[in-house]
Amino acid sequence: MSERAGFYDELSDEELLRYSRQILVQQIDVAGQLRLKNSRVLIIGVGGLGSPVALYLAAAGVGELHLADFDTVDLSNLQRQIAHDSLSVGQAKVDSAAARLKAINPLIKLQLQRTAMDQDSLGSAVAAVDVVLDCSDNFTTREAVNAACVANKIPLVSGAAIRLEGQLSVFDPRNDSSPCYHCLYGHGSEAELTCSEAGVVGPLVGLVGSLQALEALKLLVGFGEPMVGRLLLIDALGSRFRELRVKRDPACSVCSGTDQQVAHE
């Protein structure tokens, strides 16, 4: 296998066997698998959402995963954060997740960010990858990640889950018609809650995280229709899915100018 400045131009025999079931999918094939091998992805948060995201992207053969999380594993995390186990309690989440990912796929590369990032370091981290997955659990982080993605024109796959409700969307600043996170949510809710305050059911974050991983694969390989301009609403209580159309806000303070919210069903 040859490598030029970090770029791979072929798959090894081991990789062809490891990813054979995925390569059989017409929309991926060998060419798509090679694109995954040459891809870099940033995962913000390796908790409930970030766990399935990281596990599936590692298993799928994304060449380099950048994990960012300053938290440590707590016993209360284990009900839903499946990248960690009982022996991980007290460890940094990125270290616990890294051990699990390497056990699944030793062929991938990992970059670990164990401390909170400021605006400059976040911008640099976003600029270094092809796709960002926001798996955080607070509005402030989501806004900062969105701003960095807009500034660097990097696609953002955003997921959220609380109680028995989930949301998923893709924001692609390379597309002039794509809204950004701020177009949809503005300044957020005055009554913002986290999972530690409101609770969440484990399989729901697994569902949302798995969908985030799928959207990332579509963006990296270039197949299907990513959820740009669409918001998926998941009602786990009634097992119902609803989709809303979301338009770019021409007055958005992040991707356009000022600050308003526009969303159309």
Side-chain angles (χ1 to χ4, degrees):
M1 178 174 59
S2 62
E3 180 182 0
R4 297 189 300 274
F7 178 81
Y8 297 91
D9 57 15
E10 63 182 14
L11 300 172
S12 68
D13 290 343
E14 179 182 352
E15 289 168 326
L16 288 170
L17 179 59
R18 176 182 285 271
Y19 310 123
S20 59
R21 300 302 186 273
Q22 186 164 275
I23 289 171
L24 285 172
V25 177
Q26 181 181 4
Q27 290 83 355
I28 298 177
D29 207 346
V30 173
Q33 191 64 52
L34 192 56
R35 290 191 194 101
L36 293 179
K37 183 177 180 177
N38 285 301
S39 296
R40 297 177 180 179
V41 168
L42 171 61
I43 303 171
I44 306 289
V46 282
L49 297 173
S51 287
V53 164
L55 293 171
Y56 273 116
L57 293 186
V62 174
E64 188 168 311
L65 297 179
H66 297 205
L67 309 181
D69 198 316
F70 60 84
D71 201 4
T72 56
V73 180
D74 183 81
L75 186 61
S76 64
N77 300 151
L78 302 184
Q79 158 258 356
R80 64 197 179 282
Q81 299 184 16
I82 58 173
H84 316 296
D85 58 34
S86 297
L87 297 178
S88 304
V89 173
Q91 294 182 19
K93 286 185 179 179
V94 292
D95 292 329
S96 171
R100 177 69 176 137
L101 300 183
K102 276 296 187 180
I104 291 174
N105 190 350
L107 302 179
I108 64 171
K109 297 179 182 178
L110 298 173
Q111 298 287 338
L112 309 182
Q113 174 65 42
R114 299 179 180 86
T115 58
M117 292 184 283
D118 57 21
Q119 184 176 356
D120 291 338
S121 59
L122 178 58
S124 298
V126 168
V129 299
D130 303 299
V131 171
V132 175
L133 292 105
D134 186 352
C135 303
S136 63
D137 64 354
N138 66 88
F139 182 78
T140 300
T141 300
R142 292 174 187 150
E143 275 280 85
V145 171
N146 175 68
C149 287
V150 170
N152 291 281
K153 294 190 178 300
I154 301 297
L156 170 63
V157 182
S158 178
I162 196 166
R163 298 191 182 101
L164 286 159
E165 299 175 352
Q167 297 184 7
L168 174 76
S169 191
V170 175
F171 308 103
D172 191 348
R174 302 171 302 178
N175 183 339
D176 291 338
S177 64
S178 172
C180 77
Y181 181 89
H182 192 79
C183 290
L184 178 59
Y185 293 102
H187 290 295
S189 169
E190 294 180 359
E192 181 187 353
L193 295 174
T194 64
C195 293
S196 61
E197 298 167 322
V200 67
V201 174
L204 174 63
V205 293
L207 172 61
V208 176
S210 296
L211 289 172
Q212 283 184 271
L214 178 59
E215 291 299 307
L217 293 180
K218 288 157 66 177
L219 288 166
L220 294 169
V221 175
F223 69 90
E225 183 185 354
M227 290 201 66
V228 177
R230 296 182 290 153
L231 173 67
L232 181 66
L233 302 176
I234 301 169
D235 171 15
L237 188 61
S239 298
R240 293 183 176 90
F241 295 79
R242 184 183 180 198
E243 183 179 298
L244 303 179
R245 291 287 179 178
V246 182
K247 292 185 177 180
R248 185 172 186 177
D249 181 2
C252 176
S253 61
V254 176
C255 66
S256 296
T258 51
D259 184 20
Q260 285 182 354
Q261 174 182 324
V262 175
H264 298 288
E265 183 171 354

